[in-house]
Amino acid sequence: MPTSQPEASGPSEDRTTPDDLLHARTGTEVSPEDIVLASGKDLTPRNLEWAKRKLAAEGATALDKLLP
């Protein structure tokens, strides 16, 4: 009966994808709706206003900062 080896089943530290490679944009404009949804909030007028301010202050990188 085969046995699994714990060290072989998990990812090793040298194979972890760097954070800067995990964030990707399609080249389209980032909308306030994108910011709200990426933050896990509901699309409400208050949250859309918050997202508009965040976009104005941080630009499109605001979305990258919210994504895991």
Side-chain angles (χ1 to χ4, degrees):
M1 172 155 75
T3 60
S4 63
Q5 298 175 354
E7 63 274 2
S9 64
S12 66
E13 287 299 316
D14 61 331
R15 294 183 57 204
T16 303
T17 304
D19 190 51
D20 62 331
L21 295 178
L22 295 175
H23 299 288
R25 227 178 286 128
T26 61
T28 60
E29 291 294 317
V30 176
S31 70
E33 289 85 0
D34 295 332
I35 299 293
V36 171
L37 294 174
S39 70
K41 298 178 181 181
D42 292 328
L43 287 173
T44 65
R46 182 178 181 183
N47 290 339
L48 287 170
E49 285 303 316
W50 164 80
K52 288 176 187 177
R53 290 190 306 272
K54 189 165 183 66
L55 266 175
E58 300 176 20
T61 60
L63 183 62
D64 293 333
K65 292 177 182 178
L66 291 169
L67 297 175

